[in-house]
Amino acid sequence: MAELADGQLPQECPGSSSAQAGRAAACQGCPNQGICAAGAAAPDPAEAAALRARLRAVRHAVLVLSGKGGVGKSTFSALLALGLAADQAKQVALLDIDICGPSIPRMMGLDGEQVHQSGSGWSPVYVEENLGVMSVGFLLSSPDDAVIWRGPKKNGLIKQFLRDVDWGEVDYLIIDTPPGTSDEHLSIVQYLSAAHVAGAVIVTTPQEVSLQDVRKEINFCHKVKLPIIGVVENMSGFICPKCKNESQIFPPTTGGAEKMCQNLNVSLLGKVPLDPQIGKSCDKGQSFLSEAPDSPATSSYRNIIQRIQEYCDQRNFQEEKIIYERNKNVVHV
Amino acid sequence: MAPGLAGGPGLAPAGGSAESTGPGTGPPVSPGRYPGSTSLRGSVSPLPGSPSPPPPPPIPGPSAVTVGGGADEVRHERSNLAGVRHILLVLSGKGGVGKSTISTELALSLRHSGKKVGILDVDLCGPSIPRMFRVQDNSVHQCDSGWVPVFVDQDKSISLMSIGFLLENPDDAVVWRGPKKNALIKQFVADVAWGDLDFLIVDTPPGTSDEHISTVEALRPYQLLGAILVTTPQAVSVGDVRRELTFCKKMNLRVLGIVENMSGFVCPHCSECTNIFSKGGGEELAKHAGVPFLGCVPLDPQLSQSLEEGRDFIQEFPKSSAFPALAHIAQQILDGTSQQSS
């Protein structure tokens, strides 16, 4: 495998496109300080224009976040994309920016697929006519390949995903993120500023160890002014297939997502119970919604997906109303 | 033409040596003296671009020779890790598989075997360890040798260090890019006065990125026993852990073994066992990769509850289905270290 060395950055480099570029305490002594402070290291205007052009074609961008790992972000992202794409009239795109742990290809049954390049850019891998997918997983030649990259390189790839992938006209761009509040999250919010970001869906499990990370994620959203569509509580109870009694495997000792949402004034979009079929479907790359249409988990997912759609439509309606009002007041001479 | 990371649009996974970390632990900060034992609560600002917490003052006396000064201090005095007999990393690749849980339970098991254990939590965005021992409101203080870790009880048999102790508000999101995370990890490795420990367990966030590269590089000069990899049984998890195995190989980090967590759930009402997250993936991966398989730990709501409430699961639930598995994992670690020394 060819290896590229990264540029030498000061230990605390805030990032050349950050608002702190050249101005942070860590910048003193860095040979690039002058360049960054002058804004010359900011995103290339041509690049920024290319990003804007691509993202203009996206009607609603939805980020799926957590803070905590393993709560079901990728599972939810995959099912959200599949659920939205059930309407053949809608064009859906699923972008996986978890560079170290890309789960989306397997979940969508696209293991081993490759990305092709043409004059108009990188072509996403299509599951259905109206559902395209992109992930670093498609760029790796072996399932054992590890992407051992520091932040700046991950950011570079995320930018390429947004700038170079030829999604075409898209109704919904679903973005699956890794856990945390770090480079990938800062970067995606920054790069998406040119797009219509509907907002973030935050996934959690009921127990406090998850909620404590999710509160941080909600805080992050407020800080970067990312609207929160709502919270999904996943793995919310398990019904034993034999005796049908419910067990709380991940007990909501501090009131679960419901209490947290009340305290923080965010919407609870729904609760999804544990169903062993979910894991199996993900492993096999099949849609759980199709494989187990009668599962209580399926109806939970469908309700949540519908609420997200309604949120996006409502937002769309409000924006169009603003434009209409604005145009009404223009005097034509 | 297919763009690929091995040659397409100029991207390649940095498979070999880790990216350069460069010198320094942060911006030059005059060490100064801190009156009494000042708490470090609030010394870390979660905002991007803000400085790292101040390094502790150097040890006074002729043995303390600092070379360079400022951010490039090289301490010639006894390293804070000199008294630690074995260091082991708990890794995954996948989030939410139970790294922090296994780190906590392993520490408790080792303590019950009479060992002194420390846990270093390098998950800066999602620090779970303090709460698992019910010490999330404790503070870190400074002493002459550095930062004093937080002790879990009077015996001082388990000590902890986590960014969780340094934040003013536990709900603050630590929104840092890589370089700042790396700087704090280096401080955690160099400046925490662990004293004498039998084991230092390092709990990591998911992935193969800044924190992992920096932690391994910072710990390389010390008594690094190796890494335990945690997975859940299903393929989606195993898929990420395979990449973590590659990370270990590239970083020359010995793999002590794989733990398959959340492996089966026994219904407390009827004792029916359901494989909620599938079964067997961890064991197969261990066989495929030629590394030891340390065991399966089943899902046990009592374990989840104990962790939520910061109680000692090992002490309270010796009859739990998870207990023998956890005890067995600890025993294999102990056997491994006694083989090493013989």
Side-chain angles (χ1 to χ4, degrees), chain A residues 285-305:
Chain A
Q286 291 161 341
S287 166
F288 168 73
L289 303 175
S290 318
E291 293 288 295
D294 299 324
S295 163
T298 301
S299 31
S300 298
Y301 275 124
R302 292 210 184 279
N303 287 338
I304 293 167
I305 292 171

Side-chain angles (χ1 to χ4, degrees), chain A residues 161-238:
Chain A
F161 277 160
L162 290 173
R163 190 194 60 208
D164 295 344
V165 174
D166 181 20
W167 299 105
E169 296 279 336
V170 164
D171 292 288
Y172 300 99
L173 171 61
I174 313 295
I175 301 167
D176 183 31
T177 62
T181 48
S182 187
D183 286 272
E184 298 91 327
H185 310 88
L186 280 168
S187 298
I188 193 72
V189 169
Q190 201 182 329
Y191 300 143
L192 281 181
S193 54
H196 298 123
V197 183
V201 173
I202 304 184
V203 185
T204 183
T205 48
Q207 77 277 47
E208 178 58 26
V209 83
S210 285
L211 298 176
Q212 73 183 5
D213 286 351
V214 168
R215 285 189 203 99
K216 292 179 202 280
E217 199 74 19
I218 291 175
N219 226 305
F220 167 80
C221 291
H222 290 324
K223 269 200 180 106
V224 299
K225 301 203 194 341
L226 180 61
I228 298 175
I229 302 175
V231 171
V232 173
E233 184 182 272
N234 203 10
M235 307 198 204
S236 191
F238 171 68

Side-chain angles (χ1 to χ4, degrees), chain A residues 28-40:
Chain A
Q28 288 166 33
C30 173
N32 295 327
Q33 186 185 8
I35 300 171
C36 286

Side-chain angles (χ1 to χ4, degrees), chain A residues 2 4 11-12 69-70 115 117 122 139 144-145 147 149-151 154-155 181-183 208-209 216 219 249 253 283, chain B residues 1 3 5 10 12 21 52 170-171 173-174 176-179 181-182 208-210 234-236 242-243 246 304 308:
Chain A
L4 277 178
Q11 269 307 98
E12 297 223 322
V115 170
Q117 199 169 287
W122 295 4
L139 304 178
D144 292 321
D145 280 348
V147 182
W149 289 357
R150 290 194 182 275
K154 292 194 281 188
N155 300 338
T181 48
S182 187
D183 286 272
E208 178 58 26
V209 83
K216 292 179 202 280
N219 226 305
I249 297 188
T253 54
D283 279 357
Chain B
M1 184 187 84
L5 286 189
T21 51
S52 297
D171 291 343
V174 175
W176 291 356
R177 290 193 183 272
K181 293 197 277 190
N182 302 336
T208 48
S209 188
D210 289 273
Q234 78 263 61
V236 146
R242 284 176 80 160
R243 305 189 199 279
T246 304
S304 314
E308 287 282 284

Side-chain angles (χ1 to χ4, degrees), chain A residues 2-9 11 146-153, chain B residues 12-22 182 186 208-220 246-253:
Chain A
E3 284 161 24
L4 277 178
D6 222 7
Q8 295 284 321
L9 297 167
Q11 269 307 98
V147 182
I148 311 175
W149 289 357
R150 290 194 182 275
K153 216 149 156 200
Chain B
S17 54
E19 301 172 25
S20 154
T21 51
N182 302 336
K186 286 184 112 157
T208 48
S209 188
D210 289 273
E211 296 91 327
H212 311 86
I213 301 170
S214 299
T215 301
V216 173
E217 291 203 329
L219 289 174
R220 212 180 276 291
T246 304
F247 169 84
C248 292
K249 214 186 319 199
K250 298 284 183 201
M251 303 292 284
N252 273 326
L253 184 57

Side-chain angles (χ1 to χ4, degrees), chain B residues 102 105-106 109 297 303 313-314 322-331:
Chain B
I102 297 291
E105 299 308 326
L106 187 56
S109 282
V297 182
L303 174 55
F313 171 78
I314 302 283
F323 174 76
L326 293 165
H328 182 54
I329 293 166
Q331 192 55 51

